Amino acid sequence: MNYLYIAEFYNLSITTLPMKIVVLGADGYLGWPLSLRLLRRGHRVVGVDNLATRRAVEEVGSDSALPISSPQERERAAKELGDFKFVFGDVTDYQFVKELISSEKPDAVVHFAEQRSAPYSMKDVEHAVYTMHNNLEGTLNLIYAVKEAKPDVHVVKMGTMGEYGTPNFDIPESAFVEVEIKGRRDRIPTPKFAGSWYHWTKVYDTYNMLFANKIWGLTFTDIMQGPVYGTRTEEIVSERFFTRFDFDEVWGTVVNRYCVEAVLGLPLTPYGKGGQTRGFLSLEDSVEALRILIENPLRWDPTGTSTSS
Amino acid sequence: MNYLYIAEFYNLSITTLPMKIVVLGADGYLGWPLSLRLLRRGHRVVGVDNLATRRAVEEVGSDSALPISSPQERERAAKELGDFKFVFGDVTDYQFVKELISSEKPDAVVHFAEQRSAPYSMKDVEHAVYTMHNNLEGTLNLIYAVKEAKPDVHVVKMGTMGEYGTPNFDIPESAFVEVEIKGRRDRIPTPKFAGSWYHWTKVYDTYNMLFANKIWGLTFTDIMQGPVYGTRTEEIVSERFFTRFDFDEVWGTVVNRYCVEAVLGLPLTPYGKGGQTRGFLSLEDSVEALRILIENPLRWDPTGTSTSS
């Protein structure tokens, strides 16, 4: 079988059966390298994107510092690694999402298809409302599509460490936490306090998934990932496999942007007051962590206790 | 002065200067009687509505059990009590909201202009997305309009007791609460867990206002009110002043609906499992509580500590 051949070729050990995985946002900084990793592991990947990030980066007069291929060229390159298909589509179109889940019947859906820039969301009311609509509607559509078409799908959703703000307690790796309030104990959703409209949309997605898990038993893994840096993974071995590398103030994540600014001798551009402390993750570690999560899903439990975050 | 004459006539004691108040959702169950109360107190009222509730109640094949006047007739009736103007407009139109605040320069804005039915929000994905968009966008537009046009406006926003779910702790009358998590103390937004997409929009509005208060120092009073029942206030003395009375399963709030069902000998129709316990408020008490809140505003504090809820 194809996946065994690939595993041997790359000296990977395959311990799970090949899965069919839909990656929403497959044209993005993380979506593209994750798709390559999943293909190399022998999984079938349906990559979905509306190419919004390409347009939005143009909107602020910028471009990826590394040249990235067209979606058509990416599809050809990905097919060398395994069973890949690119689908142009928008997660804010419910009929599209519903038909995607109905027809592909994936084992897992990875949801990266959100507006991902805090500064972009804070530009003005138009960008705030766009971010709120786009992100919440995509996740709501996915929730309903999974509920209607295939409720045992494992949804892997990208959140952010920024959902937590900077609390005084140790951030737990759980959706709920035990607290004491005025002498009484309760179990509450892990407290959040975001720092931009973008980060708030991630908080609201989290609550919407917790609610959908509670009432319908759908299965979510809600990933609170720190900022990712870097350009390479094991699969990115030539220009055809490059992922985007944004470096401007709006779309460049912090370490990537600082590297470009340092190389060019420009002043570093911290966002806000620059007082945040965060854990950072290399692109390779991010992709590998996601791969492990996807291959080791929570079991679907219609009684509604399977959400982790 | 007009307001003193009215105060004497109705035997009210006026202790505050007359204010100019914009009521968003002035055609609604609470918006209309509150407008009448504020007028009777000598305040100038600009009543704004897009008449969405009239249409949405028609959508489910229902109608107000008490006949309500047209917006034009309501305007004429309200003008007998004081300085009233009806403006047709939609809070999801940012330019409209911005121009409203710029031109009217109100002392306070009461924001009732949201989709207000939990069952309506839970019908299907279309109603879920509509509720999420409509409610969050209206409040975001208001936040930005106030920030841009008149940042000292006191925004009085209708939330719901349903934001809290059914916690095990005593619900505090504050936006933040001291907690202990794993042996460490912190101050977190008062925990919430809603029971419908509609209720979640109220939670998200709350967080959006907390955030706008934090970064821009805007002043909000976020009212967590229990379900309201009844048809009368001191101002509703004839049919021309009637407020709407919804009794169907989608738009009728619980006590009002039960009363109609009991009178007609129909089975009572609890929502969900019927296990909720709630405090209930008469229409007269609700309107009077809101009046007191509006006349005793928090002072604008650009340093950002003035939000209460």
Side-chain angles (χ1 to χ4, degrees):
Chain A
M1 284 165 74
N2 189 42
Y3 76 94
L4 284 175
Y5 164 76
I6 291 170
E8 193 182 346
F9 182 79
Y10 282 98
N11 197 25
L12 291 172
S13 93
I14 296 271
T15 55
T16 53
L17 287 174
M19 304 166 75
K20 185 171 198 180
I21 300 157
V22 167
V23 178
L24 305 174
D27 194 54
Y29 175 57
L30 295 176
W32 172 243
L34 177 64
S35 297
L36 300 180
R37 173 65 43 90
L38 295 172
L39 289 167
R40 206 181 125 213
R41 290 281 295 178
H43 303 299
R44 287 182 293 166
V45 175
V46 180
V48 178
D49 214 293
N50 68 350
L51 311 182
T53 297
R54 294 186 189 232
R55 288 191 302 277
V57 173
E58 275 179 27
E59 178 190 330
V60 300
S62 189
D63 196 4
S64 172
L66 293 177
I68 56 170
S69 306
S70 69
Q72 294 76 18
E73 287 162 353
R74 283 190 153 178
E75 188 178 56
R76 277 194 293 275
K79 278 182 170 167
E80 293 172 22
L81 295 185
D83 185 346
F84 180 81
K85 165 165 79 170
F86 180 78
V87 177
F88 180 85
D90 193 318
V91 294
T92 64
D93 175 351
Y94 177 67
Q95 286 310 318
F96 168 74
V97 182
K98 172 89 180 295
E99 282 159 32
L100 180 76
I101 306 299
S102 301
S103 60
E104 298 294 347
K105 296 186 180 55
D107 298 295
V109 176
V110 181
H111 179 22
F112 291 166
E114 297 204 328
Q115 193 293 90
R116 63 170 169 79
S117 164
Y120 190 80
S121 76
M122 297 298 289
K123 280 164 87 90
D124 54 26
V125 64
E126 186 191 334
H127 290 78
V129 167
Y130 165 76
T131 303
M132 208 60 79
H133 278 196
N134 186 74
N135 293 6
L136 270 59
E137 183 164 358
T139 301
L140 265 179
N141 282 346
L142 180 58
I143 286 170
Y144 271 91
V146 164
K147 166 185 171 273
E148 297 293 329
K150 195 166 181 294
D152 67 343
V153 168
H154 177 210
V155 176
V156 177
K157 162 72 171 55
M158 185 57 77
T160 163
M161 280 299 288
E163 292 190 27
Y164 298 111
T166 46
N168 189 42
F169 54 87
D170 292 332
I171 296 171
E173 291 189 354
S174 57
F176 292 89
V177 65
E178 294 279 332
V179 298
E180 185 175 314
I181 299 181
K182 300 185 181 188
R184 295 177 67 175
R185 297 200 66 79
D186 204 357
R187 185 171 163 271
I188 64 169
T190 301
K192 309 281 172 73
F193 202 92
S196 78
W197 302 125
Y198 153 77
H199 288 96
W200 282 112
T201 66
K202 296 285 188 181
V203 173
Y204 304 159
D205 282 337
T206 292
Y207 290 135
N208 285 345
M209 290 186 291
L210 284 180
F211 182 59
N213 171 259
K214 183 182 173 190
I215 61 173
W216 296 319
L218 306 180
T219 306
F220 303 95
T221 298
D222 192 9
I223 305 153
M224 305 303 168
Q225 188 174 268
V228 177
Y229 64 89
T231 58
R232 298 294 168 121
T233 63
E234 290 180 20
E235 291 79 15
I236 300 180
V237 290
S238 68
E239 196 170 313
R240 299 164 59 233
F241 293 107
F242 276 176
T243 191
R244 53 182 316 115
F245 184 82
D246 296 301
F247 58 92
D248 60 83
E249 280 193 48
V250 174
W251 295 105
T253 50
V254 62
V255 176
N256 287 356
R257 198 171 69 228
Y258 287 177
C259 290
V260 171
E261 288 162 349
V263 166
L264 298 178
L266 296 171
L268 303 188
T269 53
Y271 176 64
K273 293 176 183 166
Q276 299 96 333
T277 55
R278 282 284 175 269
F280 295 92
L281 202 61
S282 77
L283 184 59
E284 169 60 32
D285 285 351
S286 170
V287 163
E288 184 60 5
L290 290 162
R291 191 274 298 168
I292 293 169
L293 268 173
I294 293 162
E295 289 185 357
N296 299 278
L298 291 163
R299 288 271 296 282
W300 181 45
D301 176 3
T303 62
T305 54
S306 56
T307 296
S308 71
S309 82
Chain B
M1 283 166 77
N2 189 41
Y3 76 94
L4 284 174
Y5 164 77
I6 291 171
E8 192 183 348
F9 182 78
Y10 282 99
N11 198 25
L12 293 172
S13 95
I14 298 273
T15 56
T16 54
L17 288 174
M19 305 167 76
K20 186 171 197 181
I21 301 157
V22 167
V23 177
L24 305 172
D27 194 53
Y29 175 56
L30 294 177
W32 172 243
L34 177 64
S35 298
L36 300 179
R37 173 64 44 91
L38 295 171
L39 289 168
R40 205 180 124 213
R41 290 281 295 178
H43 304 299
R44 287 182 293 165
V45 174
V46 179
V48 177
D49 214 292
N50 68 350
L51 310 183
T53 297
R54 293 187 190 232
R55 287 192 301 276
V57 173
E58 275 178 27
E59 178 190 332
V60 300
S62 189
D63 196 3
S64 171
L66 292 177
I68 57 170
S69 306
S70 69
Q72 295 75 19
E73 288 162 351
R74 281 189 155 179
E75 186 177 57
R76 277 194 292 277
K79 278 183 170 166
E80 293 172 22
L81 295 185
D83 186 345
F84 180 83
K85 165 165 78 171
F86 180 79
V87 177
F88 181 86
D90 194 318
V91 294
T92 65
D93 175 351
Y94 177 67
Q95 287 310 319
F96 168 74
V97 182
K98 173 88 181 296
E99 282 161 31
L100 179 77
I101 306 298
S102 301
S103 60
E104 297 294 347
K105 299 185 177 55
D107 300 292
V109 176
V110 182
H111 180 22
F112 291 166
E114 297 202 330
Q115 193 293 89
R116 64 170 169 80
S117 164
Y120 190 80
S121 76
M122 298 298 290
K123 280 164 88 88
D124 53 28
V125 65
E126 185 191 333
H127 289 78
V129 167
Y130 164 75
T131 302
M132 208 60 82
H133 278 196
N134 185 73
N135 292 5
L136 269 60
E137 182 164 358
T139 300
L140 265 179
N141 282 345
L142 180 60
I143 286 170
Y144 271 91
V146 164
K147 165 184 172 274
E148 297 293 330
K150 194 167 184 293
D152 67 344
V153 167
H154 177 209
V155 175
V156 177
K157 163 72 169 55
M158 184 57 75
T160 163
M161 281 298 290
E163 292 189 27
Y164 298 110
T166 46
N168 189 42
F169 55 86
D170 292 330
I171 296 171
E173 290 190 352
S174 58
F176 292 89
V177 67
E178 294 280 333
V179 297
E180 187 175 313
I181 298 181
K182 299 184 182 189
R184 295 178 67 175
R185 297 201 66 78
D186 204 356
R187 183 171 164 272
I188 64 168
T190 302
K192 308 281 172 74
F193 202 92
S196 77
W197 302 125
Y198 153 78
H199 289 96
W200 282 111
T201 66
K202 297 286 186 179
V203 173
Y204 304 159
D205 283 336
T206 291
Y207 290 135
N208 286 346
M209 290 187 290
L210 284 180
F211 181 59
N213 171 260
K214 183 182 174 189
I215 62 173
W216 295 320
L218 306 181
T219 307
F220 302 95
T221 299
D222 192 8
I223 305 154
M224 307 302 168
Q225 188 174 268
V228 177
Y229 64 88
T231 59
R232 298 296 168 118
T233 64
E234 289 181 21
E235 291 80 13
I236 300 180
V237 291
S238 67
E239 196 170 310
R240 299 164 59 230
F241 293 106
F242 276 176
T243 192
R244 54 182 313 116
F245 184 83
D246 295 302
F247 58 93
D248 60 85
E249 279 193 50
V250 174
W251 295 104
T253 50
V254 61
V255 175
N256 287 357
R257 197 171 71 228
Y258 287 177
C259 290
V260 170
E261 288 162 348
V263 166
L264 297 178
L266 297 170
L268 302 187
T269 53
Y271 176 64
K273 293 177 184 166
Q276 300 97 332
T277 54
R278 280 285 176 268
F280 295 92
L281 202 61
S282 76
L283 184 59
E284 169 61 32
D285 285 351
S286 170
V287 162
E288 185 60 7
L290 291 162
R291 193 272 301 168
I292 293 169
L293 268 171
I294 294 162
E295 289 184 358
N296 299 279
L298 291 162
R299 288 271 296 281
W300 182 45
D301 176 4
T303 62
T305 54
S306 57
T307 296
S308 70
S309 81

